[in-house]
């Protein structure tokens, strides 16, 4: 066989092998039996629940949860209830529903314009990061999941003149491996800092009857109450390693990721910076969300406005990260979520009004576009949550 012909045959074989591998990755359908409930929040008139079929990559809408601009969501561990924020100026607040065919309301509490942009559920309580007034609100729930008025509101103020405005963007619970004490961290984009508070029982409060957690929880200041980040970084979202040893912070304005070691000393959570690395190479000042793969090997960060997509990092044994790839997405990727088995990622692309479905190559961490997405007419998705579904509804 002539050299030129031999090279041509070799090239054809290589292309054929690559196509076969791609087809295999995208068509491993017989091994997937679990369906996932996917909850989508955003800017519009209602949040949406979908069921994801991993055999077809299809998202099918099963119900709506009426709310004004439900930009961020929280789901109970059992999946029976859903809560969210309404990021709507004077009409902003917190709402909830039973996740059932009848969609029973769990109440709504207005916050007078604090514009909460993040909400989390923990131990029978809801915690919100308030962007408009720069603070945190704490709500207790009754045994059915109904929302009580906030029993604690903390507003942060700039410590020095000229005063800047506090803009809290996410709250996260970190439980100390040493003492099992719960700490709440808040990323303050406006003050360029991380607020740290201890979470404990509120023994001074008058307890409403029928609380999900018998005694309300309260936030208390601790000595390590503030961790500053470089000025202008704009801290936005956290991710915590499964063993609690490392904390990752995505900074919206700078596009950097800061890596911290996590320790504890005398009822204080200690964050020690280990790394400062650039994630958004286009310097678009619009970094959005951050998550770790379930196996703890990869870190993903979404970036908007410039080169829209997901930056992919490998996590070393020492907790440090190195960027290995970038996956282009639809326009304005904001929140994203990874299925518990680590095989799929759903990406909210706000400006294209779509939620894209990607497969994850668990050996390399790379993302593979399935070509499947759900698109909305009058709804801009900004948050996605996923859990294992026990039914088709």
């Amino acid at each position: 066989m002539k050299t030129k012909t031999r090279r041509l045959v070799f090239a054809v074989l290589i292309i054929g092998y690559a196509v076969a591998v791609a087809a295999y990755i995208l068509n491993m359908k017989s091994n997937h039996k679990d369906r996932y409930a996917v909850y989508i929040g955003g800017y519009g008139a209602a949040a949406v629940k979908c069921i994801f079929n991993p055999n077809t990559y299809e998202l099918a809408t099963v119900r709506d949860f009426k709310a004004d601009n439900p930009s961020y969501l929280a789901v109970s561990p059992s999946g029976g209830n859903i809560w969210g924020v309404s990021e709507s100026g004077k009409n902003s607040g917190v709402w909830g529903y039973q996740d059932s065919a009848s969609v029973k309301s769990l109440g709504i509490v207005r916050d007078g314009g604090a514009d909460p942009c993040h909400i989390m559920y923990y131990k029978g309580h809801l915690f919100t990061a308030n962007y408009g007034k720069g603070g945190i609100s704490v709500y207790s729930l009754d045994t059915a999941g109904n929302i009580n008025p906030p029993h604690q509101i903390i507003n942060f103020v700039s410590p020095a003149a000229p005063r800047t405005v506090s803009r809290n963007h996410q709250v996260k619970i970190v439980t100390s491996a040493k003492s099992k004490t719960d700490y709440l961290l808040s990323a303050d984009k406006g003050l360029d800092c991380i607020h740290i508070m201890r979470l404990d029982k509120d023994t001074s409060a008058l307890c409403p009857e029928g609380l999900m957690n018998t005694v309300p929880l309260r936030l208390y200041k601790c000595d390590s109450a503030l961790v500053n980040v470089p000025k202008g970084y704009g801290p936005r979202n956290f991710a915590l390693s499964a063993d609690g040893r490392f904390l990752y912070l995505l900074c919206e304005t700078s596009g950097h990721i800061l890596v911290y070691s996590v320790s504890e000393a005398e009822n204080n959570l200690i964050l020690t910076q280990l790394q400062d690395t650039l994630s958004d190479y286009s310097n678009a000042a619009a970094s959005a969300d951050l998550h770790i793969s379930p196996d703890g090997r990869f870190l993903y960060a979404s970036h908007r406005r410039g080169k829209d997509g997901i930056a992919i990092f490998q996590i070393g044994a020492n907790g440090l990260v190195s960027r290995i790839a970038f996956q282009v997405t639809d326009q304005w990727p904001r929140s994203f979520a990874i299925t518990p088995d680590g095989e799929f990622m759903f990406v909210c692309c706000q400006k294209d009004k779509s939620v894209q479905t990607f497969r994850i190559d668990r050996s390399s961490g790379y993302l593979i576009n399935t070509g499947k997405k759900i698109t909305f007419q009058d709804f801009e998705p900004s948050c996605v949550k996923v859990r294992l579904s026990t039914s088709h509804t």
Side-chain angles (χ1 to χ4, degrees):
M1 186 181 295
K2 294 182 179 181
T3 302
K4 187 175 181 179
T5 303
R6 189 182 299 114
R7 288 176 178 171
L8 180 60
V9 171
F10 181 73
V12 171
L13 289 173
I14 291 295
I15 293 172
Y17 176 76
V19 171
V21 169
Y24 173 75
I25 290 174
L26 287 174
N27 289 281
M28 291 187 298
K29 299 181 179 180
S30 61
N31 294 329
H32 299 287
K33 298 178 181 179
D34 295 327
R35 290 175 179 253
Y36 293 98
V38 179
Y39 300 85
I40 303 169
Y43 297 93
V48 178
K49 179 183 179 180
C50 299
I51 296 298
F52 174 67
N53 185 337
N55 295 318
T56 64
Y57 311 133
E58 299 286 351
L59 282 167
T61 302
V62 293
R63 67 178 58 95
D64 293 341
F65 304 97
K66 302 297 182 183
D68 187 21
N69 287 338
S71 62
Y72 208 87
L73 310 175
V75 182
S76 62
S78 66
N81 295 328
I82 178 174
W83 303 276
V85 298
S86 285
E87 194 176 346
S88 302
K90 291 182 179 180
N91 292 322
S92 63
V94 176
W95 52 267
Y97 286 100
Q98 279 187 0
D99 181 14
S100 60
S102 59
V103 191
K104 180 183 176 182
S105 174
L106 297 173
I108 181 168
V109 179
R110 303 293 184 186
D111 68 7
D115 275 322
C117 62
H118 183 269
I119 185 170
M120 67 167 292
Y121 168 88
Y122 188 69
K123 292 185 177 178
H125 291 71
L126 298 175
F127 301 84
T128 64
N130 303 327
Y131 193 83
K133 292 184 178 179
I136 298 170
S137 299
V138 185
Y139 303 80
S140 63
L141 302 171
D142 69 14
T143 53
N146 294 296
I147 308 168
N148 290 308
H151 61 269
Q152 185 179 20
I153 299 175
I154 299 173
N155 292 316
F156 299 109
V157 180
S158 175
R163 296 192 181 277
T164 52
V165 179
S166 173
R167 299 294 191 198
N168 285 276
H169 212 288
Q170 187 193 22
V171 289
K172 191 170 190 65
I173 300 292
V174 176
T175 302
S176 164
K178 181 179 179 182
S179 69
K180 305 304 179 184
T181 299
D182 290 329
Y183 297 90
L184 183 140
L185 277 59
S186 177
D188 194 327
K189 175 184 170 183
L191 300 184
D192 283 316
C193 69
I194 303 169
H195 301 285
I196 304 176
M197 286 152 285
R198 182 171 53 86
L199 184 62
D200 207 342
K201 295 178 180 179
D202 187 358
T203 55
S204 65
L206 294 175
C207 301
E209 293 184 1
L211 287 184
M212 192 179 294
N213 191 323
T214 308
V215 179
L217 298 177
R218 188 174 185 84
L219 295 170
Y220 298 89
K221 284 189 175 182
C222 49
D223 294 336
S224 62
L226 199 69
V227 175
N228 290 310
V229 305
K231 188 174 181 179
Y233 266 40
R236 180 180 173 101
N237 271 22
F238 301 109
L240 183 69
S241 63
D243 59 10
R245 295 173 55 208
F246 302 104
L247 182 76
Y248 301 87
L249 174 65
L250 179 64
C251 297
E252 177 177 347
T253 310
S254 69
H256 282 232
I257 292 175
L258 300 178
V259 182
Y260 298 90
S261 65
V262 180
S263 59
E264 186 186 32
E266 298 177 353
N267 284 325
N268 287 281
L269 194 73
I270 309 299
L271 302 181
T272 303
Q273 185 179 315
L274 303 177
Q275 186 180 15
D276 181 341
T277 187
L278 182 63
S279 181
D280 177 20
Y281 289 174
S282 65
N283 297 313
S287 300
D289 202 5
L290 190 72
H291 291 285
I292 298 173
S293 61
D295 62 10
R297 298 175 58 212
F298 303 102
L299 179 72
Y300 299 89
S302 61
H303 301 290
R304 305 166 289 175
R305 190 180 289 146
K307 186 179 179 182
D308 290 0
I310 307 291
I312 306 169
F313 292 81
Q314 188 163 24
I315 302 176
N318 58 0
L320 304 185
V321 299
S322 56
R323 180 164 155 155
I324 57 174
F326 186 87
Q327 173 64 51
V328 175
T329 65
D330 281 353
Q331 192 178 7
W332 209 259
R334 191 161 165 176
S335 171
F336 62 95
I338 301 172
T339 55
D341 61 7
E343 294 205 9
F344 295 95
M345 179 186 289
F346 305 104
V347 183
C348 286
C349 299
Q350 185 177 340
K351 297 301 183 183
D352 276 333
K353 300 179 181 177
S354 65
V355 177
Q356 288 182 282
T357 300
F358 292 86
R359 288 208 62 148
I360 301 175
D361 183 339
R362 289 189 290 181
S363 62
S364 68
Y366 288 15
L367 301 180
I368 304 159
N369 193 344
T370 66
K372 299 288 187 178
K373 61 183 175 182
I374 186 170
T375 304
F376 302 93
Q377 292 295 319
D378 301 309
F379 182 64
E380 295 185 359
S382 61
C383 171
V384 58
K385 297 289 183 179
V386 60
R387 67 169 181 83
L388 193 63
S389 177
T390 56
S391 70
H392 296 293
T393 60

